[in-house]
Amino acid sequence: MTFTLRKKDILIDILVRLPAKSLVRFLCTCKSWIDLIGSSSFISTHLHRNATKHTHVYLLCLHHPNFERNDDPDDPYVEQEFQWSLFSNETFEECSKLSHPSGSTKHYVIYGSSNGLVCISEEILNFDSPIHIWNPSVKKFRTPPMSTNINIKFSHVALQFGFHPGVNDYKAVRMMRTNKNALAVEVYSLKTDSWKMIEAIPPWLKCTWQHHKGTFFNGVAYHIIEKGPICSIMSFDSGSDEFEEFIAPDAICSPSELCIDIYKERVCLLFSFYSCDEEGMVPNDLWVLQEKRWKQLCPFIYPAGSYGTIGITIDNKLLMVRRDFLRGAGDLCLCNYESKQVFETGIELAVMKYGEIELLFA
């Protein structure tokens, strides 16, 4: 089968609107379609359209698929079962159950997602924890090689993943700290399938500091760090290997209440600590990083309740969880910035416990 220019343009216009799962099925059609769908120009066009129009967007959640209540207070669950699934970003219906791509039955955590790829690894990270870069839609994955750069044990390991548009490559950034405050940073390139050790660590990171949450945006890894009384945002560009530090606003007095994410294509901080002038409402203060300075915007405001902040969705809604302490579960909710309305998704998140620490993932 061959195409005239006109027919080919029409075909491309149709195919770029389809999800990756459908395109994979069309690879069995003929060689011309294989060449077209597999071409770098088509992949770039398909990616750009879906990213800018936010089409084929899903919520990725760790949830209870079969939550049942038991009358025995010492054993509140009939079966503690966790499941990663994709949910529609519009209807919140479950679209696909996800199992570990290598067939492992162990629990795993997602450390970043970008353009349909997700980075998964163990719940408790070490420098030798296996990492998988996975495309759930087409059921393909790559396991980066074990790093040969490090042979010591680290007390804390942070992992982030995303796309760097400046170098057209997917990167995983692994930051590791010892009990003696030595810091090591490694960067994995999907394009070269190799790790690189970052040699130049700035002096302001060679001190006692506590790592908190992080995010990844446009090839840059951002981490909330606490250096004594100072709360800062550390950034690391996975393309240029450069570090920067941004001191958090003075109003942020408790890093444990702080969340970092992306709001309208800018790195942002969310801080839920202070009270609200509106009766029965709760504020979530919002700052965005603009020209290397923090600019405070109007806060997210929502009705009072047992809500905790998870982050911000790709369409700029506040992603929250309403904790039910009696049942030991969390209901996933979305808050609209303008209307202040809270929408219940019907998705019941799983609560993973590590001692006194409780974690939820969405």
Side-chain angles (χ1 to χ4, degrees), residues 133-152:
I133 311 299
W134 177 32
N135 187 331
S137 294
V138 299
K139 298 181 179 179
K140 292 184 178 182
F141 72 99
R142 177 182 291 182
T143 302
M146 286 291 180
S147 171
T148 58
N149 296 322
I150 307 170
N151 57 6
I152 60 176

Side-chain angles (χ1 to χ4, degrees), residues 132-308:
H132 305 287
I133 311 299
W134 177 32
N135 187 331
S137 294
V138 299
K139 298 181 179 179
K140 292 184 178 182
F141 72 99
R142 177 182 291 182
T143 302
M146 286 291 180
S147 171
T148 58
N149 296 322
I150 307 170
N151 57 6
I152 60 176
K153 200 170 184 67
F154 289 85
S155 62
H156 180 85
V157 179
L159 176 64
Q160 289 177 285
F161 169 80
F163 181 68
H164 197 309
V167 296
N168 192 31
D169 193 9
Y170 291 88
K171 302 275 191 172
V173 176
R174 185 162 53 187
M175 296 189 179
M176 298 158 286
R177 182 170 55 87
T178 68
N179 288 325
K180 296 182 179 180
N181 299 311
L183 179 69
V185 179
E186 279 192 309
V187 179
Y188 170 76
S189 163
L190 187 65
K191 187 181 291 184
T192 63
D193 192 30
S194 62
W195 290 94
K196 179 178 70 172
M197 176 66 76
I198 305 303
E199 302 293 343
I201 304 297
W204 52 269
L205 274 176
K206 296 177 181 179
C207 62
T208 302
W209 57 274
Q210 178 67 42
H211 169 269
H212 292 277
K213 302 166 187 174
T215 191
F216 195 99
F217 178 62
N218 278 348
V220 181
Y222 295 87
H223 289 270
I224 299 171
I225 61 172
E226 188 178 4
K227 300 189 297 180
I230 299 175
C231 180
S232 295
I233 309 304
M234 169 186 65
S235 74
F236 171 74
D237 190 315
S238 61
S240 64
D241 301 341
E242 294 179 351
F243 292 86
E244 281 192 87
E245 181 180 21
F246 306 96
I247 305 298
D250 293 337
I252 295 174
C253 55
S254 174
S256 60
E257 304 296 327
L258 186 61
C259 178
I260 184 168
D261 213 312
I262 309 302
Y263 178 72
K264 293 187 175 180
E265 300 296 309
R266 295 185 186 275
V267 175
C268 74
L269 297 176
L270 293 161
F271 186 60
S272 181
F273 187 81
Y274 300 105
S275 59
C276 183
D277 293 336
E278 294 185 50
E279 186 176 352
M281 304 295 282
V282 175
N284 208 320
D285 292 326
L286 174 66
W287 288 266
V288 295
L289 190 60
Q290 186 171 311
E291 297 179 351
K292 299 190 177 184
R293 293 178 179 272
W294 295 109
K295 178 182 179 181
Q296 187 167 14
L297 305 182
C298 294
F300 277 93
I301 297 178
Y302 46 87
S306 300
Y307 292 108

Side-chain angles (χ1 to χ4, degrees), residues 315-328:
D315 48 359
N316 301 307
K317 293 184 177 68
L318 187 64
L319 197 62
M320 306 188 302
V321 60
R322 185 177 59 197
R323 290 297 311 276
D324 187 326
F325 295 97
L326 186 63
R327 294 189 306 142

Side-chain angles (χ1 to χ4, degrees), residues 57 68 75 79 103-104 140-141 193 255 276 280 286 301 344-345:
V57 174
E68 296 183 23
D75 184 17
E79 184 178 4
S104 172
K140 292 184 178 182
F141 72 99
D193 192 30
C276 183
L286 174 66
I301 297 178
E344 296 187 6
T345 66

